[in-house]
Amino acid sequence: MPARKTDRRSSSRRLEYIIIECVTPELDGGRYPVKRITGDTVIVGADLIKEGHDQLAARVLFRPPGDSEWSQSPMHFDYDRDRWYGAFTVDRIGRWSFTIEAWTDRFATWRAELRKKVDAGQEVQLELVEGAQLARAASRGTRSSAARASLLMTAKMLEDRRNTTIEKRIQRALDDDLLALMEEHARPNDLTRYRRELAITVDRERARFAAWYEMFPRSQIAPAVAKAAQRHGTFTDAAARLPRLADLGFDVVYLPPIHPIGETFRKGKNNSLTAEPGDVGSPWAIGNAHGGHTAIDPALGTIGDFDRFVATARDLGLEVALDYALQCSPDHPWVKEHPEWFHVRPDGSIKHAENPPKKYQDIVPINFWCDDRAALWNACRDVLRYWIEHGVKIFRVDNPHTKTFAFWEWVIHEVQREHPDVVFFAEAFTRPKRMKSLAKLGFTMSYTYFTWKNQWWELRDYLTELTQTAMVEYFRGNLFANTPDILNEYLVNGGRPAFRARLLLAGTLLPLYGIYSGFELCENVPVHPGSEEYLDSEKYQIRPRDYDAPENINADIRRLNEIRREVPALHWYDNLSFHTSENPTILFYRKAARAPLVQFPGSSPEPVPAEAAATLGLRPAAHGADVLVMVNTDPHHVQETMVHVPIHEMGLDDEQRYVVHDLLTGARYSWRGVRNYVRLDPAQQPGHLFVVER
Amino acid sequence: MPARKTDRRSSSRRLEYIIIECVTPELDGGRYPVKRITGDTVIVGADLIKEGHDQLAARVLFRPPGDSEWSQSPMHFDYDRDRWYGAFTVDRIGRWSFTIEAWTDRFATWRAELRKKVDAGQEVQLELVEGAQLARAASRGTRSSAARASLLMTAKMLEDRRNTTIEKRIQRALDDDLLALMEEHARPNDLTRYRRELAITVDRERARFAAWYEMFPRSQIAPAVAKAAQRHGTFTDAAARLPRLADLGFDVVYLPPIHPIGETFRKGKNNSLTAEPGDVGSPWAIGNAHGGHTAIDPALGTIGDFDRFVATARDLGLEVALDYALQCSPDHPWVKEHPEWFHVRPDGSIKHAENPPKKYQDIVPINFWCDDRAALWNACRDVLRYWIEHGVKIFRVDNPHTKTFAFWEWVIHEVQREHPDVVFFAEAFTRPKRMKSLAKLGFTMSYTYFTWKNQWWELRDYLTELTQTAMVEYFRGNLFANTPDILNEYLVNGGRPAFRARLLLAGTLLPLYGIYSGFELCENVPVHPGSEEYLDSEKYQIRPRDYDAPENINADIRRLNEIRREVPALHWYDNLSFHTSENPTILFYRKAARAPLVQFPGSSPEPVPAEAAATLGLRPAAHGADVLVMVNTDPHHVQETMVHVPIHEMGLDDEQRYVVHDLLTGARYSWRGVRNYVRLDPAQQPGHLFVVER
């Protein structure tokens, strides 16, 4: 093994005039980018360390995507925290870089000392000559001839004991104009650059705020038609559903795979191992004689139909998200054309998926480290390019944790280099560290454990982890209330009140949330008791629905999405905090009016102090009102509680009355002080969504 | 400015088969080494992330100082934490390196899947052929001809459908011997090395456990002799004091600068600006016609006298620490020989130290970034080399925060490369971040704010920060109870009981502590009320003392140092915890019997779980007994309290009786349960130092 001696390496380290450390935002020592949205102000923090009493100065260097030169922004010192802060706004999407430079402000140091000596009545003749030397050095460094002339004249004056009075010379030395001139033109002789360039992935707003709706296009056919015609829903049928989704206020329509479905070992209804004639199969078994990942299931229509579907959605303000499921049915064209991209067994057969002793013979996994890796990875990337050309900019990635992580980092970067507006959504239900890792290496947003968090303390703990730890720098949870794979027992047992409560939670806890169709109808019959699979799951058969069936919660959805768009506090990710509810079955949380500025040195949250924010010229912009949410997590019983409103954090006095306005019902209540009464009947109302009026 | 495009850089990143992250111990992304003591077991933790279900394997690679090859130690998986742990013991001093390698254990993965299929009664003919392929690949990779033969025979047998029964082939496939053979000889095809090599500075035990005593050699003369002879104490006088210090149980004797003292602007008694004839001056104003940093003040003796002093100390088991104060009096030889090493003013004069409007004309600071930097830094290093040749291996560094930090990193590394047993002790009383930075960049140990922490909550909070945060990885506090510069008002007001309490705190809170002479006599007269300076400070004059004067606390010191040596729990740094005392004026803390194994991913403490420790073969060695300390922080009044003993952490049941044995007085008390009574009269006893007997 190569043995680079540590001693040699350390000795050759470049000497640093100034130590620059604890830089934020920085993820895993700069290994991964942090994430932001266009328009965000990035607050950069750093500790600068130098011996003695010299005055330091520093700036943030930042480089927007595509620029080859650094831009810069000054840093300011926060005395109480012994820390420096700078800021810049990321005004376009793509990969930004930043770093920090620090140096000694020799002129300011000299000037401050001069002032103290003058104030103490000390002799300063020599000091003035030293000031002249500084001015002269600055004059040599500048390209501005006007500045050079002014600096040289100043230098002459400062050392001119004959013709200028000491008072005048001191006055010139302490002149604010001279300070400004020196700050602009003096070149530091100890400029120190932070040893790392850090990256920021800047996404469009849709990456942080969106309401998602998942639907199988093949089911988008009226039950009567389906029964009468015995036919499969098409893109044309699905397009006809889009106005309804736009009316409900969704932003993204996500389609499970739309490609030709394998015949070999096709799954039958309710996941049976043998398909009956006419069974449509699972769309995740991708590929047959009609094509693979860039083809369309003929039963759904043509690529032209798909293009029209996308166009219809766009016209309605909806964006289409596609599934990106990197696996193949045994009938996928790649299996014949590129058997080397799969795991070939000693008898020449292609290995199917398995988790011994279970076999998944309808699927063959891709061998990402095969000898023909470069061609395979390019082909996988080209699938994305194909759909991007057809107007798709959001990909929901199926089970990314079962594919090579290095591939994801590569392909996301490859695609976003050309198309920085492309969003990748990781569907990884796996161990926490793997989910975090996928988010770090590039996934724009991620599924979460939300479906399994139904008790108040689970919600409080989990959402606090998502929003109040270093995870906010890279992990954007999208709270799906259900999926085709997950029908939680809370919904099974709780019925309609449970669906309403979960909708309200999903749509207010985080700015990203979603439902899978059927949720609005409170569909909750599992394939067998205790299972999280639906009976007659749409994964294996067509499920036409009457979306206006009785007991639907369309009105809840429409109103929630309307409120979400209106209320800025529901657009931010890190402004969530939980507060005391004396009966915690009623969960109580606040979405703060102004997104707090948070920075994370290491992993401990460090809010930027008000002073620093002020120093940086960050206006405490009045971003709408505070939102207070109370949700009754018990779908069966009326619950009542006293909630403890964080009035001091909200800038309210103990005696001050304030009005809480329930945007769900329109009701207004006059509250005062910390403790206030709440009663929620699940049969009537899942919770309150209050904005605080003054 | 050079503009390396981020895009290009990221694309060319080496692909990683396995993600290795959150490695511990790692300080600031590997920028700085962590610290350990010889004999310590270093526990290495890491998260390993790979897609799918393959079994992983990993090892720690570590390299002792001077070795050019890596040694290795296996890592083990802790399922509950989803984390890998490995360990190695650092058995010699110097700079160690380590890193991590991970790979897929293809054979173990194949074997586990085979077993499941066999158990399920599935057909495994193809699987056995695949096993044969693995064995054959391993045979090609090994250098052992015996292993090669065995692996080839195995391969043949596994695929031999004709002559061997399926049962026998399966038996061979699942054979433990084969597993061991494969683990040893199979070469992974996805070996992934962590992207950083991390460093550990391993010091000798004295760097973590020592009792220090500071004395001015010139004062080590009996008061009567001093008065009669009107003479200056010498090394010979000082050597005569050493048996006393050895008897009191000290480990290190630290001497303020012993060099010739400047005449120009020499300070008089009590820091007066003008010295009277005969005034000896401050030893920190280094250098006169007799020499500089490598010379000895002639009044103290010769280098031969110094060598004899060091030898006497060594014979008594004491180690001598010298002051390393990098500044000069205006009379220092360097000022004439190398004026370019200082700040030269426009009139050719050398700039004296100042903090405007204050002037320190007896001192000229060194210009560490002067044009002749290389020669200057080498000269500063050679001062250390000189004293190392004279037997000094511990340097107390004066005000390192007023000198260039890059110099310290360089010089400590330069010296420790040749002499890894040299200890550097930072005397930096400055802002916390600077103190931490000095410790990170190489100082072995550091002064602390201990002298100013006198209230129970200050002690609890500060010591918790020192011992229970990431600081334990690099910052070793040495709790000096007083210094020539710091006579705290707590000692001024509290008198002898305060001195006894502070001694007990210093000597038990951390394994490193010290006192400056006079402490044992409870000297506490400030130069003026409210000042932290001593009246008639030894910094400016000779102070002969009768160390057996009435009211001395020699007996306390002797007993404390004796106990410290006997009780292992007092040798460790990170085993401190504070516990409830219902009257918190009596501070209650525990030094745990076994040093907990702690690791720090990022900055949050993560104790190694018992299972992992067991997996790693770490014996829970019975390192002596638990220590419980109660100190009455009120020097004026009797206090009583109920303390809450952490009996469950100590492995005691609620009903179990246990004996607490006060090593200070010899008294024994029989206690039971959590709450127990303590009463402390400061006039009698500053506190209890209990060992828990069973």
Side-chain angles (χ1 to χ4, degrees), chain A residues 402-415:
Chain A
T402 63
K403 286 95 189 172
T404 297
F405 282 37
F407 167 74
W408 294 122
E409 186 165 21
W410 175 83
V411 80
I412 292 171
H413 194 73
E414 278 286 294
V415 168

PDB file of all heavy atoms in Angstrom, chain A residues 402-415:
ATOM      1  N   THR A 402     -31.563   0.835  -3.719  1.00  0.00           N
ATOM      2  CA  THR A 402     -31.183  -0.482  -4.210  1.00  0.00           C
ATOM      3  C   THR A 402     -30.269  -0.366  -5.435  1.00  0.00           C
ATOM      4  O   THR A 402     -29.922  -1.367  -6.044  1.00  0.00           O
ATOM      5  CB  THR A 402     -32.422  -1.322  -4.574  1.00  0.00           C
ATOM      6  OG1 THR A 402     -33.117  -0.673  -5.650  1.00  0.00           O
ATOM      7  CG2 THR A 402     -33.348  -1.482  -3.384  1.00  0.00           C
ATOM      8  N   LYS A 403     -29.935   0.868  -5.795  1.00  0.00           N
ATOM      9  CA  LYS A 403     -28.992   1.087  -6.900  1.00  0.00           C
ATOM     10  C   LYS A 403     -27.751   1.779  -6.357  1.00  0.00           C
ATOM     11  O   LYS A 403     -27.785   2.414  -5.308  1.00  0.00           O
ATOM     12  CB  LYS A 403     -29.638   1.947  -7.996  1.00  0.00           C
ATOM     13  CG  LYS A 403     -30.673   1.215  -8.841  1.00  0.00           C
ATOM     14  CD  LYS A 403     -32.064   1.445  -8.321  1.00  0.00           C
ATOM     15  CE  LYS A 403     -33.100   0.559  -9.011  1.00  0.00           C
ATOM     16  NZ  LYS A 403     -34.428   0.659  -8.356  1.00  0.00           N
ATOM     17  N   THR A 404     -26.700   1.711  -7.155  1.00  0.00           N
ATOM     18  CA  THR A 404     -25.412   2.243  -6.712  1.00  0.00           C
ATOM     19  C   THR A 404     -25.470   3.739  -6.405  1.00  0.00           C
ATOM     20  O   THR A 404     -25.893   4.531  -7.245  1.00  0.00           O
ATOM     21  CB  THR A 404     -24.382   1.976  -7.819  1.00  0.00           C
ATOM     22  OG1 THR A 404     -24.277   0.573  -7.963  1.00  0.00           O
ATOM     23  CG2 THR A 404     -23.047   2.566  -7.482  1.00  0.00           C
ATOM     24  N   PHE A 405     -25.028   4.095  -5.212  1.00  0.00           N
ATOM     25  CA  PHE A 405     -25.086   5.498  -4.805  1.00  0.00           C
ATOM     26  C   PHE A 405     -24.187   6.373  -5.686  1.00  0.00           C
ATOM     27  O   PHE A 405     -24.524   7.516  -5.991  1.00  0.00           O
ATOM     28  CB  PHE A 405     -24.712   5.641  -3.325  1.00  0.00           C
ATOM     29  CG  PHE A 405     -25.837   5.253  -2.398  1.00  0.00           C
ATOM     30  CD1 PHE A 405     -26.689   4.198  -2.693  1.00  0.00           C
ATOM     31  CD2 PHE A 405     -26.050   5.956  -1.221  1.00  0.00           C
ATOM     32  CE1 PHE A 405     -27.730   3.849  -1.835  1.00  0.00           C
ATOM     33  CE2 PHE A 405     -27.093   5.615  -0.354  1.00  0.00           C
ATOM     34  CZ  PHE A 405     -27.926   4.565  -0.667  1.00  0.00           C
ATOM     35  N   ALA A 406     -23.049   5.825  -6.072  1.00  0.00           N
ATOM     36  CA  ALA A 406     -22.142   6.602  -6.928  1.00  0.00           C
ATOM     37  C   ALA A 406     -22.821   6.953  -8.241  1.00  0.00           C
ATOM     38  O   ALA A 406     -22.581   8.023  -8.812  1.00  0.00           O
ATOM     39  CB  ALA A 406     -20.863   5.811  -7.196  1.00  0.00           C
ATOM     40  N   PHE A 407     -23.670   6.034  -8.740  1.00  0.00           N
ATOM     41  CA  PHE A 407     -24.415   6.340  -9.974  1.00  0.00           C
ATOM     42  C   PHE A 407     -25.313   7.547  -9.773  1.00  0.00           C
ATOM     43  O   PHE A 407     -25.386   8.437 -10.617  1.00  0.00           O
ATOM     44  CB  PHE A 407     -25.243   5.125 -10.414  1.00  0.00           C
ATOM     45  CG  PHE A 407     -26.253   5.468 -11.472  1.00  0.00           C
ATOM     46  CD1 PHE A 407     -25.864   5.706 -12.778  1.00  0.00           C
ATOM     47  CD2 PHE A 407     -27.603   5.606 -11.146  1.00  0.00           C
ATOM     48  CE1 PHE A 407     -26.796   6.055 -13.754  1.00  0.00           C
ATOM     49  CE2 PHE A 407     -28.535   5.958 -12.115  1.00  0.00           C
ATOM     50  CZ  PHE A 407     -28.134   6.180 -13.423  1.00  0.00           C
ATOM     51  N   TRP A 408     -26.014   7.601  -8.645  1.00  0.00           N
ATOM     52  CA  TRP A 408     -26.918   8.726  -8.416  1.00  0.00           C
ATOM     53  C   TRP A 408     -26.175  10.045  -8.374  1.00  0.00           C
ATOM     54  O   TRP A 408     -26.590  11.030  -8.978  1.00  0.00           O
ATOM     55  CB  TRP A 408     -27.730   8.530  -7.124  1.00  0.00           C
ATOM     56  CG  TRP A 408     -28.670   7.379  -7.217  1.00  0.00           C
ATOM     57  CD1 TRP A 408     -28.714   6.290  -6.402  1.00  0.00           C
ATOM     58  CD2 TRP A 408     -29.694   7.172  -8.204  1.00  0.00           C
ATOM     59  NE1 TRP A 408     -29.694   5.423  -6.814  1.00  0.00           N
ATOM     60  CE2 TRP A 408     -30.308   5.941  -7.923  1.00  0.00           C
ATOM     61  CE3 TRP A 408     -30.142   7.905  -9.303  1.00  0.00           C
ATOM     62  CZ2 TRP A 408     -31.353   5.420  -8.684  1.00  0.00           C
ATOM     63  CZ3 TRP A 408     -31.177   7.397 -10.077  1.00  0.00           C
ATOM     64  CH2 TRP A 408     -31.772   6.165  -9.764  1.00  0.00           C
ATOM     65  N   GLU A 409     -25.048  10.027  -7.665  1.00  0.00           N
ATOM     66  CA  GLU A 409     -24.307  11.285  -7.582  1.00  0.00           C
ATOM     67  C   GLU A 409     -23.882  11.723  -8.988  1.00  0.00           C
ATOM     68  O   GLU A 409     -23.979  12.899  -9.343  1.00  0.00           O
ATOM     69  CB  GLU A 409     -23.083  11.120  -6.672  1.00  0.00           C
ATOM     70  CG  GLU A 409     -22.367  12.434  -6.439  1.00  0.00           C
ATOM     71  CD  GLU A 409     -21.375  12.399  -5.285  1.00  0.00           C
ATOM     72  OE1 GLU A 409     -20.930  11.301  -4.910  1.00  0.00           O
ATOM     73  OE2 GLU A 409     -21.045  13.483  -4.766  1.00  0.00           O
ATOM     74  N   TRP A 410     -23.450  10.766  -9.772  1.00  0.00           N
ATOM     75  CA  TRP A 410     -23.007  11.073 -11.135  1.00  0.00           C
ATOM     76  C   TRP A 410     -24.172  11.547 -12.006  1.00  0.00           C
ATOM     77  O   TRP A 410     -24.095  12.586 -12.653  1.00  0.00           O
ATOM     78  CB  TRP A 410     -22.356   9.816 -11.739  1.00  0.00           C
ATOM     79  CG  TRP A 410     -21.970   9.981 -13.172  1.00  0.00           C
ATOM     80  CD1 TRP A 410     -20.829  10.556 -13.651  1.00  0.00           C
ATOM     81  CD2 TRP A 410     -22.737   9.582 -14.320  1.00  0.00           C
ATOM     82  NE1 TRP A 410     -20.833  10.533 -15.025  1.00  0.00           N
ATOM     83  CE2 TRP A 410     -21.992   9.948 -15.464  1.00  0.00           C
ATOM     84  CE3 TRP A 410     -23.973   8.955 -14.492  1.00  0.00           C
ATOM     85  CZ2 TRP A 410     -22.451   9.701 -16.765  1.00  0.00           C
ATOM     86  CZ3 TRP A 410     -24.428   8.716 -15.784  1.00  0.00           C
ATOM     87  CH2 TRP A 410     -23.670   9.082 -16.903  1.00  0.00           C
ATOM     88  N   VAL A 411     -25.260  10.776 -12.013  1.00  0.00           N
ATOM     89  CA  VAL A 411     -26.311  11.079 -12.990  1.00  0.00           C
ATOM     90  C   VAL A 411     -27.051  12.370 -12.644  1.00  0.00           C
ATOM     91  O   VAL A 411     -27.417  13.150 -13.525  1.00  0.00           O
ATOM     92  CB  VAL A 411     -27.280   9.878 -13.162  1.00  0.00           C
ATOM     93  CG1 VAL A 411     -28.319   9.804 -12.035  1.00  0.00           C
ATOM     94  CG2 VAL A 411     -27.994   9.954 -14.518  1.00  0.00           C
ATOM     95  N   ILE A 412     -27.247  12.613 -11.354  1.00  0.00           N
ATOM     96  CA  ILE A 412     -27.929  13.853 -10.961  1.00  0.00           C
ATOM     97  C   ILE A 412     -27.068  15.048 -11.374  1.00  0.00           C
ATOM     98  O   ILE A 412     -27.561  16.039 -11.928  1.00  0.00           O
ATOM     99  CB  ILE A 412     -28.238  13.860  -9.450  1.00  0.00           C
ATOM    100  CG1 ILE A 412     -29.292  12.791  -9.139  1.00  0.00           C
ATOM    101  CG2 ILE A 412     -28.701  15.245  -8.996  1.00  0.00           C
ATOM    102  CD1 ILE A 412     -29.520  12.552  -7.650  1.00  0.00           C
ATOM    103  N   HIS A 413     -25.781  14.912 -11.136  1.00  0.00           N
ATOM    104  CA  HIS A 413     -24.897  16.007 -11.506  1.00  0.00           C
ATOM    105  C   HIS A 413     -24.853  16.203 -13.020  1.00  0.00           C
ATOM    106  O   HIS A 413     -24.920  17.327 -13.514  1.00  0.00           O
ATOM    107  CB  HIS A 413     -23.501  15.749 -10.954  1.00  0.00           C
ATOM    108  CG  HIS A 413     -22.633  16.945 -11.008  1.00  0.00           C
ATOM    109  ND1 HIS A 413     -22.798  18.015 -10.160  1.00  0.00           N
ATOM    110  CD2 HIS A 413     -21.627  17.286 -11.842  1.00  0.00           C
ATOM    111  CE1 HIS A 413     -21.921  18.953 -10.463  1.00  0.00           C
ATOM    112  NE2 HIS A 413     -21.199  18.530 -11.481  1.00  0.00           N
ATOM    113  N   GLU A 414     -24.754  15.096 -13.744  1.00  0.00           N
ATOM    114  CA  GLU A 414     -24.741  15.142 -15.211  1.00  0.00           C
ATOM    115  C   GLU A 414     -25.985  15.863 -15.751  1.00  0.00           C
ATOM    116  O   GLU A 414     -25.892  16.710 -16.630  1.00  0.00           O
ATOM    117  CB  GLU A 414     -24.733  13.712 -15.778  1.00  0.00           C
ATOM    118  CG  GLU A 414     -23.384  13.066 -15.826  1.00  0.00           C
ATOM    119  CD  GLU A 414     -22.525  13.632 -16.951  1.00  0.00           C
ATOM    120  OE1 GLU A 414     -22.874  13.424 -18.120  1.00  0.00           O
ATOM    121  OE2 GLU A 414     -21.535  14.301 -16.634  1.00  0.00           O
ATOM    122  N   VAL A 415     -27.124  15.477 -15.245  1.00  0.00           N
ATOM    123  CA  VAL A 415     -28.378  16.037 -15.754  1.00  0.00           C
ATOM    124  C   VAL A 415     -28.531  17.500 -15.334  1.00  0.00           C
ATOM    125  O   VAL A 415     -28.887  18.362 -16.142  1.00  0.00           O
ATOM    126  CB  VAL A 415     -29.578  15.194 -15.262  1.00  0.00           C
ATOM    127  CG1 VAL A 415     -30.890  15.920 -15.526  1.00  0.00           C
ATOM    128  CG2 VAL A 415     -29.564  13.839 -15.948  1.00  0.00           C
TER     129      VAL A 415
END
